[in-house]
Amino acid sequence: IHPMPFTRVELVVMSIVDGHLAVLLGKRTGVPHVGQWALPGGVLRIDLDADLECAAQRVAHERLGVQLPFLRHLTAVGGKLRDSRAHWALSIAFRALLPIEAIDPKAGKRLEALRWVPVDEAMLDESLAFDHAGLIGSAAEATRHEIDQLELPFGFLPDKFTLGELQEICEQLLG
C-alpha cells in the first residue's frame, strides 16, 4: 500500500475505425483487474518523468510502443476507492485523436492484447477496469464538442480534402 497519493496517467487514444469513433483498450495482465479491458495507463515516475506530458508519452511508449501526437489533458480524478493498491489514488487522463494509420500500437508492458472499441459501446461497458468507462465518456464528449466547433486536431485531416470528406469525417466522429 502506498502511503502517499498513488498517481497514474491514463491514455484515451481515439480514432475512426470502421466508420465510427473508437477507443484503444488494453487487456490487463497485472493486479488489480487482471484480464479486464482498460485504458492504457501507468504510474507517474518522479525519477523518469520531467512533467505530466513526459509521463504520458513514456506510458504510451511502454504500453503501446508509440508516441502520441496531439495529446491533450482531459481531466484529473481521484479518491479513496479509486485503486485498491493505495489508500488514495489520483489519475491524470489525457486524450489523443489521430488517424488510424498514424499509429501502429503493440501491446507492451502489463498488457496482453489491444483492441479498438466504438466509444459509444465502451463508455457504457461496466466490465471495464476502474472507472475507465466514465473517462471514455468524458473524452468522447470533449472531442465531439471540439468537432462540433470544427476544431479538428492538426494533422487529423490530409493536407487536401473535399468538403464532402470533411462532412463524412465529422459525421463519423460525432456518431
Side-chain angles (χ1 to χ4, degrees):
I1 301 278
H2 299 273
M4 298 296 287
F6 184 55
T7 306
R8 291 184 44 86
V9 173
E10 316 295 351
L11 304 174
V12 186
V13 181
M14 298 177 291
S15 189
I16 296 175
V17 178
D18 298 327
H20 301 283
L21 183 61
V23 63
L24 186 62
L25 298 177
K27 192 170 188 179
R28 294 178 52 84
T29 61
V31 292
H33 306 289
V34 175
Q36 283 182 274
W37 292 93
L39 294 169
V43 176
L44 178 72
R45 296 275 311 265
I46 61 172
D47 58 331
L48 298 176
D49 304 325
D51 55 35
L52 291 173
E53 173 93 16
C54 289
Q57 292 295 357
R58 178 186 52 79
V59 168
H61 180 71
E62 289 178 357
R63 301 301 188 267
L64 307 173
V66 299
Q67 291 299 112
L68 293 174
F70 322 121
L71 203 56
R72 294 181 179 191
H73 176 259
L74 173 64
T75 191
V77 291
K80 290 184 176 187
L81 303 177
R82 180 151 185 76
D83 192 313
S84 61
R85 295 170 287 185
H87 293 295
W88 209 99
L90 168 72
S91 281
I92 313 294
F94 288 85
R95 65 187 168 99
L97 175 64
L98 50 146
I100 191 75
E101 60 276 358
I103 63 167
D104 185 20
K106 306 279 188 263
K109 188 176 180 182
R110 296 190 183 92
L111 296 177
E112 70 178 68
L114 298 173
R115 70 176 178 168
W116 290 98
V117 177
V119 293
D120 292 329
E121 178 185 318
M123 63 190 198
L124 299 175
D125 187 350
E126 295 179 13
S127 71
L128 294 183
F130 306 103
D131 60 353
H132 289 184
L135 291 177
I136 294 165
S138 294
E141 181 181 332
T143 300
R144 287 176 169 159
H145 175 75
E146 287 175 356
I147 301 308
D148 197 40
Q149 302 298 313
L150 291 178
E151 297 175 12
L152 284 100
F154 180 78
F156 191 78
L157 291 169
D159 289 338
K160 294 183 180 181
F161 54 89
T162 67
L163 187 56
E165 290 168 332
L166 174 63
Q167 180 179 351
E168 180 182 0
I169 287 171
C170 288
E171 287 174 352
Q172 291 171 341
L173 291 170
L174 291 170

